[in-house]
Amino acid sequence: MYKLIIEDDEGKTTVVPLIRDEISIGRKEGNTIRLTERNVSRRHARIIRQNGTIYIEDLNSYNGIKVNGDRITGRAAIGEGDRIQIGDYQLSVKLDKSEPKSNPPRAGASPDETVTTPFQKQQLAGEPTTQIQVQAPASASSVPTVPTPVVSAAAAGATERPARLIVISKQFFRQEFPLDKAAVVIGRTDENDVVINHRSISRHHAKIVREGGRYHIIDLQSSNGVRVNGEEYGKVELRKGDQIDLGHVRLVFVPPGQDYEISKPVDTERTGQHAALLVGLLLVVAIVGGMVALRHLGVRLPLGPRSADVEGEAAKILVDIDSDLLGKRWDEALAKAEQVLAMEGLSQKLRETTQAKQDKAIQERKAKQFYDRFAAAAGERRYDEAMQLYRELPVDSIYKQMARETYDKIFPLFVADHLDRAERARLARNCQDFHEEIQRVLLLEPNHIRALEMKSRPCEDRPGAQEAPAAREGPRKRSRGERERTLASGSRPQADATEPAEKPSSEDADAVLREAQNAYLNGDFARAIELARPVRGNSANAATRAWRIIGAAACNLKDLRLVTDAYRHLDPNARQFIVYVCQRSGVVFAGGQFKLAE
């Protein structure tokens, strides 16, 4: 019988027997296997068994599925030894040859007759609860259920021992420490995963992490550093037989399922004492000489050295911050960054590193808001809004990368929609709408081949429309006698010379708008506004065209009052066009109002 082994980012595992021909995986309730981390989609994947072959299928998830490090598209066959990544979880398929085949579910059993066996990770203070829930048939008395508590990574296969560290120095000789978690912290105090109580080891000295079956050791800013085979490293991959010096304690790394022969202990204390004596003498000379020099310069010296434990504690928290950033837990990362920055005696290097991580968390938390709105707009087929929100995402944001896949899917739909509208407008001889629809595509992709090809097609305006003489000649100014007669009659004079006494007829309005559009395309924005203004009181279609010309021209003139007025009179699609044009002209729309870009 095949089993599915699920491992979270802390190394905890749960085992699910594959007794169904189809198993769904996702964050939403109702899935056969529910993984509740936020980087798992509501309906993420499906495992299917057909003709003795097991397949995993991506259900259009945002973060996708990786099999042996490669992202899959659609469905892929999997088998023993394959590593499957879904969010922060690692999955693998294993054939349990020691167990007899389980009876299939009884015929006619409802898929809703299920019970849920939850698996809950260890939870740190303040962290949200993370669960794996596995549904099995309620009637499966003869079917193995998920074991509780969940077995560790070491017990996932009874025949394979986990990777481990073995002490080969004289003190603590032959002590073994299993590396059965995704991350193991080594240090002097009890809160570490591996405790080695020796004076040469820092409170939090080093960390060993498992990354895709490989093991790396990381120095946590320890006082005595980390040496592998005599060389000092900040981070390095471990191989079988590597000798690791943590202070005066030497350990050897043994990979999973392998053995290592130890003949006799190594005396690292004596070598360490000689080196420490030499280093100590040099330090005393340097410190005394430095203090004398500083006193001559009148510099006041601190009362005592910075505590190495502060550096070690800060380094450990920074590792946790990295984990939070990887898991998109921005609030937790910010809280821990503030904790580090509040520490006294923190080195400038660690302070700058922490501030950089804090800035990253602030940026990503803000970007998540745009991403959520983008995903909602894309899901509801509001493509114009989704395109705008995608452009708001920072280029170096993880959410920009997450949104890219969805953007690539909806951009062709966005293009097809607007180019289809453009072609209909061209056939209807509505050249203004024809050019505007094409321009919406070119604003996002200036070199879009199909849009450029369509733009080159001829567009002839509706026949019979004649240019309005008044539009060609411009607004007529009243004579002095006309103004005096108006005042004598007691009527109010026109405040705006561009406002005509009468609105143009429909045919004249069409001609005026064509001339206004030509003026706009030629860069004569003031003239375009002047021509389009009289048409605002005509039919709804003419008025919309007039306001679009006025708003777009006002963007280029950076007339915030006029572009706001135009925006209020337009429908959502036309408003989006105005926002696009304004952005290209250095005017942004934020908080419900237009303002100059900073």
Side-chain angles (χ1 to χ4, degrees):
M1 180 180 68
Y2 282 101
K3 293 184 176 182
L4 183 67
I5 300 173
I6 307 171
E7 179 181 345
D8 65 20
D9 58 350
E10 292 185 355
K12 299 297 189 300
T13 62
T14 188
V15 180
V16 182
L18 296 179
I19 59 175
R20 294 184 177 184
D21 289 335
E22 182 174 320
I23 290 177
S24 61
I25 303 174
R27 194 178 71 248
K28 186 179 180 181
E29 292 183 4
N31 287 288
T32 313
I33 298 175
R34 187 179 176 211
L35 308 177
T36 59
E37 285 290 346
R38 283 174 286 183
N39 54 7
V40 177
S41 297
R42 289 177 295 179
R43 293 183 69 253
H44 200 111
R46 178 167 52 202
I47 294 179
I48 304 168
R49 186 171 55 188
Q50 291 180 348
N51 301 324
T53 303
I54 300 176
Y55 300 90
I56 187 164
E57 181 180 357
D58 186 359
L59 301 179
N60 295 322
S61 61
Y62 279 122
N63 293 324
I65 301 170
K66 290 184 178 180
V67 176
N68 300 324
D70 296 325
R71 184 163 181 165
I72 67 170
T73 301
R75 183 182 296 187
I78 56 175
E80 269 197 296
D82 288 332
R83 297 290 293 174
I84 306 156
Q85 181 177 345
I86 296 179
D88 289 338
Y89 301 90
Q90 295 285 339
L91 294 79
S92 59
V93 174
K94 185 175 182 179
L95 178 62
D96 190 349
K97 300 178 181 178
S98 62
E99 293 190 13
K101 292 185 178 180
S102 59
N103 296 325
R106 58 185 172 85
S110 170
D112 296 330
E113 294 178 10
T114 57
V115 293
T116 300
T117 303
F119 164 68
Q120 183 168 326
K121 286 170 48 178
Q122 273 189 323
Q123 182 180 357
L124 300 176
E127 285 193 350
T129 302
T130 303
Q131 292 184 340
I132 299 176
Q133 293 182 340
V134 182
Q135 293 183 335
S139 59
S141 58
S142 62
V143 177
T145 58
V146 179
T148 304
V150 178
V151 297
S152 66
T159 60
E160 182 176 271
R161 299 177 65 187
R164 60 197 189 278
L165 297 176
I166 304 176
V167 181
I168 60 173
S169 55
K170 190 172 183 180
Q171 195 168 6
F172 312 113
F173 183 56
R174 291 187 183 276
Q175 284 196 23
E176 294 190 12
F177 303 103
L179 303 176
D180 54 0
K181 296 171 60 177
V184 175
V185 180
I186 307 170
R188 191 181 67 250
T189 53
D190 292 337
E191 64 266 24
N192 294 281
D193 301 306
V194 171
V195 179
I196 304 177
N197 189 8
H198 192 276
R199 63 183 182 278
S200 64
I201 292 181
S202 298
R203 181 179 177 183
H204 304 294
H205 198 109
K207 183 175 185 178
I208 295 181
V209 296
R210 182 173 69 244
E211 300 173 349
R214 299 183 177 183
Y215 293 79
H216 294 78
I217 187 167
I218 303 170
D219 184 7
L220 299 181
Q221 302 292 325
S222 60
S223 299
N224 292 321
V226 173
R227 293 183 302 279
V228 178
N229 300 328
E231 297 289 336
E232 189 165 353
Y233 293 96
K235 178 180 178 180
V236 66
E237 182 181 349
L238 296 175
R239 294 181 174 85
K240 181 179 179 180
D242 281 348
Q243 295 188 6
I244 306 166
D245 287 333
L246 306 179
H248 298 157
V249 179
R250 181 169 296 175
L251 308 96
V252 67
F253 172 74
V254 183
Q258 300 188 29
D259 293 319
Y260 187 84
E261 294 293 333
I262 304 175
S263 56
K264 60 181 180 179
V266 177
D267 190 359
T268 56
E269 285 285 345
R270 182 173 301 173
T271 304
Q273 288 172 357
H274 291 165
L277 180 60
L278 179 59
V279 172
L281 290 174
L282 293 175
L283 285 175
V284 168
V285 172
I287 291 172
V288 171
M291 292 177 64
V292 171
L294 289 173
R295 287 188 180 277
H296 279 293
L297 293 173
V299 178
R300 297 184 62 183
L301 298 174
L303 295 177
R306 184 175 66 245
S307 172
D309 285 346
V310 171
E311 299 288 284
E313 180 67 22
K316 182 181 179 182
I317 298 175
L318 285 176
V319 173
D320 292 337
I321 293 175
D322 286 335
S323 177
D324 289 332
L325 293 176
L326 185 62
K328 306 182 191 67
R329 297 184 290 270
W330 315 122
D331 291 334
E332 290 89 335
L334 286 173
K336 291 171 184 175
E338 291 175 0
Q339 179 184 350
V340 174
L341 293 174
M343 291 181 176
E344 296 183 0
L346 192 67
S347 69
Q348 183 64 25
K349 181 180 178 181
L350 280 179
R351 185 172 298 278
E352 291 174 355
T353 300
T354 306
Q355 288 174 341
K357 296 180 187 299
Q358 184 184 50
D359 293 341
K360 179 67 173 177
I362 292 173
Q363 172 190 284
E364 296 295 352
R365 185 172 63 176
K366 184 178 179 180
K368 183 181 183 302
Q369 299 174 2
F370 287 100
Y371 174 78
D372 290 342
R373 291 167 56 195
F374 163 81
E380 296 171 6
R381 300 182 180 180
R382 292 182 278 115
Y383 299 137
D384 288 75
E385 182 181 349
M387 294 297 106
Q388 174 63 23
L389 290 166
Y390 178 78
R391 296 175 68 185
E392 297 287 342
L393 291 169
V395 176
D396 59 342
S397 169
I398 187 174
Y399 290 103
K400 189 79 166 187
Q401 303 169 18
M402 291 171 57
R404 183 69 196 184
E405 182 179 356
T406 301
Y407 174 86
D408 290 341
K409 290 179 180 178
I410 68 174
F411 181 72
L413 303 175
F414 166 84
V415 171
D417 179 45
H418 286 291
L419 294 188
D420 182 61
R421 292 184 187 182
E423 182 62 16
R424 291 201 302 267
R426 190 180 73 87
L427 295 175
R429 299 188 180 184
N430 186 345
C431 296
Q432 178 181 342
D433 287 351
F434 169 70
H435 289 295
E436 286 184 358
E437 293 296 341
I438 293 175
Q439 188 64 20
R440 292 190 185 188
V441 176
L442 295 178
L443 283 170
L444 293 180
E445 188 61 58
N447 297 319
H448 194 278
I449 296 176
R450 188 181 166 200
L452 291 173
E453 183 273 330
M454 183 173 285
K455 184 179 180 181
S456 65
R457 296 179 186 177
C459 180
E460 298 180 0
D461 285 306
R462 284 186 290 266
Q466 300 178 355
E467 252 186 328
R472 288 197 307 271
E473 299 169 3
R476 184 177 65 86
K477 294 186 178 180
R478 294 175 298 168
S479 66
R480 179 177 179 182
E482 287 176 324
R483 291 196 299 270
E484 290 175 351
R485 285 194 295 274
T486 301
L487 292 172
S489 65
S491 62
R492 183 180 177 184
Q494 282 185 313
D496 187 353
T498 64
E499 294 285 356
E502 297 180 1
K503 64 183 181 182
S505 66
S506 59
E507 290 186 358
D508 289 344
D510 193 59
V512 170
L513 289 172
R514 284 201 308 276
E515 185 172 354
Q517 178 71 12
N518 289 333
Y520 172 79
L521 294 175
N522 291 328
D524 192 352
F525 305 120
R527 175 69 172 164
I529 294 173
E530 180 182 355
L531 291 170
R533 268 179 169 161
V535 191
R536 292 174 298 174
N538 279 61
S539 65
N541 181 50
T544 298
R545 292 171 61 192
W547 278 117
R548 283 192 297 191
I549 294 173
I550 293 171
C555 286
N556 286 276
L557 294 175
K558 295 182 174 53
D559 187 337
L560 302 183
R561 181 193 62 78
L562 185 55
V563 72
T564 301
D565 192 22
Y567 184 85
R568 288 201 303 265
H569 286 84
L570 292 171
D571 58 54
N573 284 335
R575 286 180 176 181
Q576 196 65 43
F577 172 73
I578 296 299
V579 171
Y580 286 150
V581 174
C582 283
Q583 281 189 333
R584 294 187 66 190
S585 304
V587 177
V588 297
F589 184 72
Q593 62 180 355
F594 289 91
K595 58 184 180 180
L596 297 177
E598 298 178 356

